[in-house]
Amino acid sequence: LPIYSQVKKEKEQGCYEDFIECLKLYDKEENGQMLLAELQHALLSLGECLDDEQVENLFADCMDPEDDEGMIPYSQFIQRLMSDPVVFD
């Protein structure tokens, strides 16, 4: 919640396209998918780090299960995240 409050106050919050461009860095095959493990690592270790429970809740609310190769479509994740923000207790 403190992260959302701070971001809401800032003028430049980023938009869907900004987040997609960032996640494209992890899209090695340029097919709109990335490894779930890489997204999890980024959320746990970069910027305002989340803890394991927060990441699990975020994934449960905003993501379909990974495929057999561990890949997820990151655009759907961003769309769901931006349409219904997850609030951490």
Side-chain angles (χ1 to χ4, degrees):
L1 191 56
I3 295 170
Y4 286 114
S5 297
Q6 180 182 354
V7 169
K8 192 173 183 178
K9 292 177 187 175
E10 294 178 10
K11 292 181 182 179
E12 293 189 29
Q13 299 176 18
C15 62
Y16 173 80
E17 290 79 16
D18 295 335
F19 296 123
I20 292 296
E21 286 301 313
C22 181
L23 293 181
K24 279 183 180 180
L25 298 171
Y26 299 97
D27 185 357
K28 294 173 180 63
E29 295 182 16
E30 298 180 357
N31 62 358
Q33 296 190 333
M34 67 180 289
L35 284 170
L36 176 64
E38 287 184 325
L39 179 58
Q40 184 176 18
H41 173 73
L43 293 172
L44 290 168
S45 61
L46 301 175
E48 294 288 336
C49 303
L50 302 176
D51 63 36
D52 287 324
E53 183 179 342
Q54 291 172 324
V55 171
E56 287 177 26
N57 290 337
L58 184 64
F59 287 173
D61 289 343
C62 298
M63 189 177 310
D64 293 331
E66 60 190 317
D67 67 13
D68 293 338
E69 297 174 359
M71 305 295 277
I72 54 111
Y74 55 85
S75 64
Q76 291 176 358
F77 170 71
I78 296 297
Q79 288 171 355
R80 290 177 184 164
L81 181 65
M82 293 184 76
S83 67
D84 190 21
V86 176
V87 177
F88 299 112
D89 297 328

